[in-house]
Amino acid sequence: MADTKHETKLLDELEKGPWPSFVKEIKKSAEKNPVGHDLLGQLELSYRDKISHWKHGGIVGVMGYGGGVIGRYSDVPDQFPNVAHFHTLRVNMPSGWFYTSDVLNKLCDVWEEHGSGITNMHGSTGDIIFLGTTTDQLEPTFADLTANGFDLGGSGSDVRTPSCCVGKARCEWACYDTMKLCNDITQEFQDELHRPAFPYKFKFKFSGCANDCVAAKARSDLSIIGTWKDDIQQDDKAVAEYAKNGLDIQKDVCNHCPTKCMDWDGSKLTINNRECVRCMHCINVMPKALRPGKERGATLLMGAKAPILQGALLSSVLVPFVPEDELMDTIKELVDRVWDFWCEYGKNRERVGELIQRVGMGNFLDAIGLDAIPEMVSAPRDNPFVFIQTDEQEAE
Amino acid sequence: MAEQPVKRVTDIGPPHYEKFLHPLIKKNYGNWKFHESMAPGVFFHESESGDRIYTVRAGTPRLLSTQTIRAFADLAKKYCGGYLRFTSRHNVEFLLDNPDNIEPLKADLTKIGFPVGGTNNSISNIVHTQGWVHCHSSATDASGIVKAVMDALYDRFTHEDLPAKLRIALACCLNMCGAVHCSDIAILGVHRKPPRVQHDSLHKVCEIPNVVASCPTGAIRPATTEDGKKTVEVVEEQCMFCGNCFSVCPAMQLNDPENDGISIWVGGKVSDARSQPTFSKLAIPFIPNEPPRWPGVVNAVVNIVDVYAKNAKKYERMGEWIARIGWPKFFELTGIPFTKYHIDDFRFAGTTFARSAQIRL
């Protein structure tokens, strides 16, 4: 492999300044593998031309899988032959992105042997990203990954690599075991993850409370958000301690409550828990005094996505509360019904959220066998154009 | 005897997380009682049993060499028994049981160039996409802009002096691999020219019905070239440059050096704390690509952050602050011109019109 350094006058500007530099990272990689020099060379050309020099992907992968590898080819391979093929592998991360030094070193060994040595920690979906290798190295990389206990993640029209917040491992607010559920769901749907058979992608994201540290409500087809049913656990002594230490409980806590369900009389905080919407603000501000209740579980919301194609959507409520110990079974049954309907009626590249918009939530609920309940809407419809079904009229 | 082929292992899924948990985390799993900040980027969690796990968080450029990953692994070995994790915003977190190791670890991180911070009311790391480093449809770079913006906002990462947390995300085209559409500030690469149809190759590389169906506004129609090749034509005034046709068909070339660039969006959030999750709204429709240091984008973001920091009340996220003062005031305070492009004209546009006479005059 030719070890050609290219001039990188523009990129060198991005080595300056206090924030850690990705250009330095690529240069470090190039010390071990000259692929990095050609990547820098092509990127420098992009900086000059103000345009990407990657071609549209191609279909590459490992045997038996339809996802997990993103094909990538240079549109200037003559100038930068070492990145003529520069494919990405998505490697399924462990729940919560926890590692030991030893396992990280092993992953590095694999990637230094078979690829550029350049990674993303992590990709937006959550995978460990191995950035840049050739087609002939895909199988050997995969073999070494599985030998070390790792597998590929999702890509294309399949279950995308599920991700979760840190949950019970290091957070007192986790209303269910996000890491376990994420891992269990990932293992349960290995076939759906590796072999694309859907109209488009399907994302699961698990957040232990409404703070939603993995942005499930904004970007996952099924958003599992931890919540509780009983009363906020309240330690009055600790509340008084916060007040003594200068927290203005009326202004900083009560006034920000979205349902105004809290009263502070200067010495005692009273919460009307039946009017609480579990927004987390008061708990966020006073973590020593207030904690989620003890009867914990999750709200299931469906349909979030980025703008492509009909516009961005946030997930909306399907099931207001599922107790923690019923989450696995409920989710399995729910996605089974949703996927059945989506696979039959979904159009090419249509996410579940868009399908719901197209067929109507009422029809979608009928299809998956859920009853309409007021928790599903912010308000009932305000237009009179109701598609009343004729068989229901006849039944009256 | 012929050698038996090695059995191919597939569908094993990720390794079980339990193998990688600090013994103290394993012991107190699900029994954490509260947490407390110690300094920007440093906090501890205390369990019901009184055990404490300390976390030191540092920013990374997301794109990491194996050498840097090994350097993190070495630091984890040196200070915390080899236990570390990454966050959803590309930060690395070291998990310590001995608080005496916090300062030496911070010093070592600073020495190798990774800033400690990104907690509470700071600007955490910028979630971002691949850009020109690895993507074919990017309208701009990702890593370079993030680097330039974070250089300018470095002190906002290492200090916690904002009214509330501020989350910035960058996606290099409308596909939004980074799902940036619910961020306090979103930096979004945009195309502004209709696709250039490659009539010579389209019939060879794309399925025409798929290309036609891919267009959300019905702007693409089947056509035949003068020399009889099957192709498509684009009704240019119906194109809003989403790039979906390019995603399904490489012969719909979209990238354009002079007209691609960046838009800035503000006021989104995903958390339910106080107010409900909301989308980010358009602040600046277009800033040209200015590699290598993107001064236009950097100045625009710094300006919005500074105006927010000066005017928002404690606990107000960007969108909550704007909801209180109103959009006219936001545009006035930031000096950003309001244009016809800020008024929605896509589906159900009326939901964002001012439909009341409640106006701050």
Side-chain angles (χ1 to χ4, degrees), chain A residues 296-311:
Chain A
R296 297 182 178 190
T299 303
L300 307 184
L301 304 94
M302 183 156 278
K305 57 181 286 298
I308 301 294
L309 189 57
Q310 301 289 342

Side-chain angles (χ1 to χ4, degrees), chain A residues 69-323:
Chain A
V69 183
I70 318 296
R72 192 64 75 221
Y73 301 90
S74 169
D75 75 356
V76 278
D78 295 342
Q79 289 181 63
F80 309 106
N82 295 335
V83 294
H85 301 208
F86 200 65
H87 310 319
T88 298
L89 289 110
R90 293 185 182 164
V91 181
N92 200 145
M93 71 297 187
S95 273
W97 299 288
F98 280 91
Y99 300 96
T100 56
S101 301
D102 291 345
V103 81
L104 282 182
N105 280 322
K106 273 186 198 156
L107 285 168
C108 291
D109 292 342
V110 173
W111 192 227
E112 283 167 3
E113 185 180 342
H114 297 295
S116 67
I118 300 166
T119 75
N120 290 152
M121 297 296 278
H122 295 76
S124 293
T125 301
D127 297 281
I128 302 158
I129 304 293
F130 281 179
L131 213 59
T133 194
T134 49
T135 309
D136 60 316
Q137 286 300 317
L138 294 173
E139 273 298 327
T141 312
F142 180 61
D144 275 3
L145 281 171
T146 52
N148 282 290
F150 282 84
D151 199 343
L152 297 186
S155 68
S157 298
D158 60 12
V159 166
R160 295 298 182 89
T161 306
S163 78
C164 65
C165 71
V166 70
K168 291 187 175 185
R170 201 204 51 200
C171 182
E172 67 272 28
W173 298 330
C175 291
Y176 67 95
D177 194 341
T178 54
M179 299 217 309
K180 179 173 191 308
L181 193 58
C182 179
N183 189 68
D184 289 351
I185 288 283
T186 308
Q187 292 293 353
E188 175 75 23
F189 296 118
Q190 279 295 294
D191 191 32
E192 288 80 359
L193 197 152
H194 297 305
R195 294 167 195 90
F198 292 150
Y200 202 13
K201 65 182 92 164
F202 190 94
K203 294 186 173 184
F204 291 92
K205 293 199 187 291
F206 303 87
S207 280
C209 78
N211 284 324
D212 197 0
C213 287
V214 288
K217 283 169 275 179
R219 57 193 186 134
S220 59
D221 299 273
L222 183 57
S223 323
I224 299 102
I225 308 294
T227 189
W228 65 94
K229 222 175 177 177
D230 54 345
D231 295 354
I232 290 175
Q233 300 183 64
Q234 186 175 338
D235 179 344
D236 284 325
K237 242 170 66 188
V239 175
E241 191 68 20
Y242 274 109
K244 206 180 89 189
N245 291 335
L247 184 73
D248 186 335
I249 295 193
Q250 183 61 47
K251 203 170 142 208
D252 292 339
V253 182
C254 299
N255 289 1
H256 289 286
C257 173
T259 61
K260 303 287 174 277
C261 72
M262 324 184 86
D263 278 316
W264 171 247
D265 67 3
S267 62
K268 165 97 180 127
L269 181 72
T270 311
I271 304 176
N272 178 351
N273 276 280
R274 301 283 61 78
E275 285 181 8
C276 166
V277 288
R278 284 92 178 127
C279 88
M280 293 297 293
H281 174 76
C282 60
I283 296 175
N284 290 344
V285 177
M286 299 194 287
K288 282 179 169 172
L290 302 176
R291 304 165 69 190
K294 288 178 175 166
E295 191 186 346
R296 297 182 178 190
T299 303
L300 307 184
L301 304 94
M302 183 156 278
K305 57 181 286 298
I308 301 294
L309 189 57
Q310 301 289 342
L313 292 168
L314 286 157
S315 277
S316 70
V317 175
L318 267 194
V319 190
F321 184 78
V322 182

Side-chain angles (χ1 to χ4, degrees), chain B residues 239-252:
Chain B
C239 178
M240 42 57 165
F241 327 114
C242 72
N244 199 49
C245 56
F246 180 58
S247 287
V248 304
C249 173
M252 304 293 283

Side-chain angles (χ1 to χ4, degrees), chain B residues 179-205:
Chain B
V180 305
H181 56 293
C182 293
S183 308
D184 294 289
I185 300 178
I187 304 168
L188 176 65
V190 288
H191 300 287
R192 293 191 306 166
K193 286 280 177 191
R196 299 177 303 280
V197 184
Q198 319 285 295
H199 297 293
D200 286 340
S201 65
L202 189 132
H203 65 288
K204 284 183 276 189
V205 292

Side-chain angles (χ1 to χ4, degrees), chain A residues 10 13-14 16-22 25-26 28-29 32 39 43 46-47 49-52 54-56 63 65 72 86 88 92-105 108-109 112 117-124 131 139 142 146 149-151 166 168-173 177 179-180 183 186-187 190 194-195 210-211 213 217-219 247 252 256 258 279 281 284-285 287-288 291 305-310 312-314 348-349, chain B residues 8-17 19-21 25 29-30 32-36 43 45 48 53 55 59-70 73 76-77 82-88 90 93 95 113-115 125 128 130 132-136 138 141 143-144 147 150-151 154 157 174-179 181-182 210 214 216 242 244 246-250 255-257 270-274 277 279 289 291-294 314-315 346-347:
Chain A
L10 294 171
E13 291 299 311
L14 289 167
K16 300 171 183 168
W19 189 255
S21 164
F22 74 102
E25 292 295 320
I26 302 177
K28 263 194 241 172
S29 294
K32 282 199 180 177
L39 179 62
L43 189 58
S46 279
Y47 268 56
D49 296 349
K50 296 200 264 185
I51 199 163
S52 173
W54 297 107
K55 280 204 292 200
H56 212 277
M63 210 172 35
Y65 281 14
R72 192 64 75 221
F86 200 65
T88 298
N92 200 145
M93 71 297 187
S95 273
W97 299 288
F98 280 91
Y99 300 96
T100 56
S101 301
D102 291 345
V103 81
L104 282 182
N105 280 322
C108 291
D109 292 342
E112 283 167 3
I118 300 166
T119 75
N120 290 152
M121 297 296 278
H122 295 76
S124 293
L131 213 59
E139 273 298 327
F142 180 61
T146 52
F150 282 84
D151 199 343
V166 70
K168 291 187 175 185
R170 201 204 51 200
C171 182
E172 67 272 28
W173 298 330
D177 194 341
M179 299 217 309
K180 179 173 191 308
N183 189 68
T186 308
Q187 292 293 353
Q190 279 295 294
H194 297 305
R195 294 167 195 90
N211 284 324
C213 287
K217 283 169 275 179
R219 57 193 186 134
L247 184 73
D252 292 339
H256 289 286
C279 88
H281 174 76
N284 290 344
V285 177
K288 282 179 169 172
R291 304 165 69 190
K305 57 181 286 298
I308 301 294
L309 189 57
Q310 301 289 342
L313 292 168
L314 286 157
N348 185 29
R349 285 171 66 78
Chain B
R8 212 164 156 273
V9 180
T10 68
D11 297 83
I12 56 171
H16 200 280
Y17 54 88
K19 288 193 271 190
F20 310 131
L21 297 181
I25 285 184
Y29 196 93
W32 298 105
K33 198 173 170 196
F34 69 89
H35 68 274
E36 206 170 283
F43 50 92
H45 284 75
E48 300 283 0
I53 188 91
T55 302
T60 85
R62 185 179 94 125
L63 189 157
L64 297 179
S65 62
T66 47
Q67 289 98 317
T68 294
I69 297 174
R70 289 185 195 278
K77 270 246 159 90
Y83 295 97
L84 68 169
R85 70 178 290 267
F86 289 81
T87 73
S88 57
H90 320 310
E93 288 186 341
L95 304 155
F114 294 91
N125 209 339
H128 60 281
Q130 301 290 17
W132 293 336
V133 172
H134 208 244
C135 182
H136 63 293
S138 44
D141 189 33
S143 305
K147 163 72 176 147
M150 284 311 286
D151 277 341
Y154 187 83
F157 182 86
L174 269 56
N175 277 311
M176 284 196 193
C177 296
H181 56 293
C182 293
N210 265 351
S214 72
C242 72
N244 199 49
F246 180 58
S247 287
V248 304
C249 173
N255 297 344
D256 181 307
V270 286
S271 155
D272 265 297
R274 302 169 305 282
F279 292 130
N289 278 324
R293 297 289 314 190
W294 273 273
K314 200 172 159 189
Y315 299 117
F346 202 57
R347 300 190 170 107

Side-chain angles (χ1 to χ4, degrees), chain B residues 227-238:
Chain B
D227 54 351
K229 286 192 192 94
K230 297 276 184 218
T231 185
V232 297
E233 60 185 12
V234 178
V235 184
E236 299 205 342
E237 56 275 20
Q238 263 171 258

